[in-house]
Amino acid sequence: MPSSVDRFLELVLAQRGAPYIWGGKGETVKGERHNYRNAAGQPQLVFDCSGLITWALRQAGWKPVGEYNAHRMWKTFPRVDKPQAGDIICYGTPEKANHVEVYLADGRAFGSIGGDSRTTAPTPGKGVAYRTRPRRDVLGYVRNPLRDADA
């Protein structure tokens, strides 16, 4: 049986190509159900960076209290020096983490990329994608909370 972290990675990677919208958490944007559709007219999940990660964590069995953004993940998840696939890369400054992505075993990053707080509709070319390596403003890595469930 796959681990919870493996399930998390499967869920995250399956969202490749989903549009970036600030406040997007899958089926909702800023707490409200949305009506976005893909090119085939089917309902489309949309994500911002922390929305993608928290959505996949919840789908894989994590039961958080409250909402999690990049800064809360940086401040509350245990830090790791040697990340494993599925751990979370935090970006920004120590005073304000402002972006998160998933660390992959081959050193690449994966996440919802390309928006800002004014992105209220899907932007062509912006969304869930691979990054060949993390950005330069890496704060550090935090442990995926599902690892504790698998222990």
Side-chain angles (χ1 to χ4, degrees):
M1 184 160 113
S3 72
S4 298
V5 174
D6 290 339
R7 177 72 178 130
F8 164 79
L9 283 167
E10 178 182 292
L11 288 159
V12 165
L13 295 173
Q15 300 314 309
R16 184 177 184 193
Y20 179 99
I21 296 182
W22 187 73
K25 298 189 183 333
E27 300 87 358
T28 64
V29 173
K30 298 182 187 173
E32 301 291 324
R33 295 212 44 91
H34 68 74
N35 198 25
Y36 294 108
R37 305 262 175 202
N38 63 19
Q42 301 297 316
Q44 172 70 61
L45 299 177
V46 298
F47 299 101
D48 66 9
C49 64
S50 60
L52 172 65
I53 291 172
T54 56
W55 175 86
L57 286 169
R58 288 172 195 240
Q59 297 295 314
W62 185 54
K63 306 284 188 238
V65 175
E67 293 297 318
Y68 277 77
N69 60 24
H71 193 65
R72 187 169 182 202
M73 289 179 200
W74 174 245
K75 292 294 185 186
T76 61
F77 293 176
R79 309 242 173 104
V80 294
D81 292 328
K82 295 182 182 185
Q84 299 175 49
D87 286 338
I88 300 159
I89 309 166
C90 295
Y91 300 92
T93 68
E95 295 78 32
K96 183 66 175 169
N98 59 21
H99 185 65
V100 286
E101 294 175 350
V102 177
Y103 179 81
L104 301 177
D106 61 6
R108 290 186 296 171
F110 188 84
S112 192
I113 302 167
D116 61 34
S117 61
R118 295 177 304 275
T119 307
T120 58
T123 304
K126 308 295 183 185
V128 180
Y130 288 96
R131 191 185 296 275
T132 56
R133 61 185 177 280
R135 298 181 339 189
R136 285 184 267 181
D137 61 339
V138 172
L139 279 171
Y141 302 87
V142 295
R143 180 179 167 89
N144 185 316
L146 291 167
R147 289 197 195 290
D148 298 328
D150 292 338

